[in-house]
Amino acid sequence: MLSIYELVSVLLCLGLVKAIRDILIARESGRIPSPPGAPRLPIIGNALTIPKRAPWEVYATWWQKYNSDLVGIYAFGHLSIIVNTRKAARELYERRSTVYADRPQLTMINLMGWDFDTSLIPYNDEWRAHRKIFHHNLNTWNAPAHHPVQLAQTEILLKSLYTDPHEFENHLRRYAASIALSIAYGYNVDSNTDNILKIAEEAIDMVSKALVPGAMAVNAIPALRYLPDWFPGTGFKQFAKRSMDLVTKMQDMPFAHVKRSMAEGTASPSVASSEIELINARGEGEQGEKYLKRALGTFFTAGADTTFSALLTGILALVLHPAVQTRARAELDQVVGRGRLPTFADRSLLPYVTAICRETLRWHIVSPLTIPHCPTQDDVYDGMFIPKGTPIMMNAWAILHNHDPDAFKPERFLTEEGTLNDDEVPFVFGLGRRNCAGMHFASATLWIMMASVLAVFNISKARDEQGNDIPVEVAYTDGMVSTSLPFRCSIQPRDHAAEELMEQIGDANV
Ligand code: HEM
């Protein structure tokens, strides 16, 4: 044990080391080079060469070309940095996590009302309050409390796929949204035209457009926000107002629904109702409710699109890899049998199914450049200067796509004996203090969907009128959440036993 004297000395030394490091960084910053990058034009920098298609793949080639863990992109005097290696990602996001836990603040995000979202807010007290709510409800130990909701929604999904397989993409989208809204508010999405769902989807669509680099001039020149509404080129203001209206409704409507049903004694169990009870018991009042309402909004905005993207990739991988389906079914039949659907209790006995899910997350990464972090102070990494506030993006795609990257091989995640290895696809859910707050929950949703679909359906390429296979292309959108472009496939019950199981499930809520 250290004495108080020794402890104080250690703390003083640490403080001194940090102070000296800060002074050195400040003095050296003028001389230390920034991360290398593509050749730049005067003023606009790389603005014209920022890749529009699959930028993560282009940035990965820059890493090799400039032989640097970090590469820089300049546009109109603003630097952004891409982290292309595991070593640098671990060093900055984990070892220096207190410095790299902030998020860049874009003017348009605030004007559009998106400063409620846990994944976008600064590293401050409100963020800590949000993370507490997520932790309390979705950490490894508490996430299983939501298994009943996931199982019930999975049955609805299976029935929808059985009765209307062509609409599989819509069914998966509704499944991801229903699970998010159901655990957050106990709210049942009754169709793809559900009012709250429509509002939330439009709000997300608008913010995705505003986040495209270079899409909104006001992000580069914040003073534009003060121009009068009639001034040419201020269409962004109308856009922002529409978004603000949607974002407010998206948070207020389901929250009011929970409070009303709590007062009437009819509330379904949900994160909202249990956290409201806690807020009341602790006397946290308006401030507590405000933070809760905003964190709950994030359950949908951070959880629905991302989960949908992973689910769709899972189906795409199965269409293209019939041998993977055969091996998974052999495992499922042995462990689960043919008379029931898989449950979470089977999870530890189905390593191959779990390996398929991990490979799904690696094969196409849902958020290949993750969400930008930014440092709260000037910093130096490996002789490169990183100014305070610089947006830093981790290229998870580059980090996880190095050995035979395009092949879909669940075996990557298995030992020779067929058990799971220790590789849990880190990086896919980010790193450090701002890592994904719903990762255990999201992995569980992907797992139960894949296990259940594999247990009852054969997934194959769709056929045209002449009986020929319709080719399936692997093509993805380029946004912060990257999703497969629509593809066609056939989803049919495996056999009579699977049909019987489907008939036993209650009617889909469609
Ligand atoms: C397969 C599905 C999902 C994937 C791949 C995913 C991935 C990510 C990634 C890459 C980040 C950024 C991490 C970073 O900046 O280092 C993130 C943040 C976040 N995710 Fe997820 N996510 C998924 C599902 C979910 C779900 C279901 C929820 C909640 C219901 C959720 C809640 C969050 C939150 C709150 C943040 C922001 C964390 C912060 O800024 O402190 N995510 N996620």
Side-chain angles (χ1 to χ4, degrees), residues 93 101 103 117-121 127 130-131 134 138 176 179-180 183 295 298-311 361 365-373 394 396 427-439 441-443 445-446 480:
Y93 283 44
R103 300 282 194 205
D117 190 291
T118 315
S119 60
L120 302 174
I121 58 178
W127 172 80
H130 285 211
R131 286 295 296 219
F134 276 100
L138 296 186
I179 289 182
I183 60 150
T298 312
F299 273 68
F300 185 85
T301 56
D305 270 14
T306 45
T307 304
F308 167 65
S309 163
L311 300 174
L361 291 170
I365 292 162
V366 169
S367 185
L369 290 174
T370 65
I371 303 176
H373 289 218
M394 180 177 73
F427 308 103
V428 163
F429 291 107
L431 276 189
R433 290 178 189 222
R434 302 299 293 248
N435 71 357
C436 177
M439 64 173 123
F441 180 71
S443 299
T445 302
L446 176 63
M480 189 179 283

Side-chain angles (χ1 to χ4, degrees), residues 423-476:
D423 189 351
E424 293 192 43
V425 265
F427 308 103
V428 163
F429 291 107
L431 276 189
R433 290 178 189 222
R434 302 299 293 248
N435 71 357
C436 177
M439 64 173 123
H440 304 294
F441 180 71
S443 299
T445 302
L446 176 63
W447 187 87
I448 195 68
M449 185 288 274
M450 293 292 269
S452 309
V453 163
L454 279 162
V456 287
F457 294 118
N458 263 327
I459 312 222
S460 55
K461 288 186 181 152
R463 299 240 163 103
D464 64 17
E465 276 151 17
Q466 283 71 46
N468 302 315
D469 280 352
I470 298 174
V472 172
E473 210 192 327
V474 179
Y476 277 80

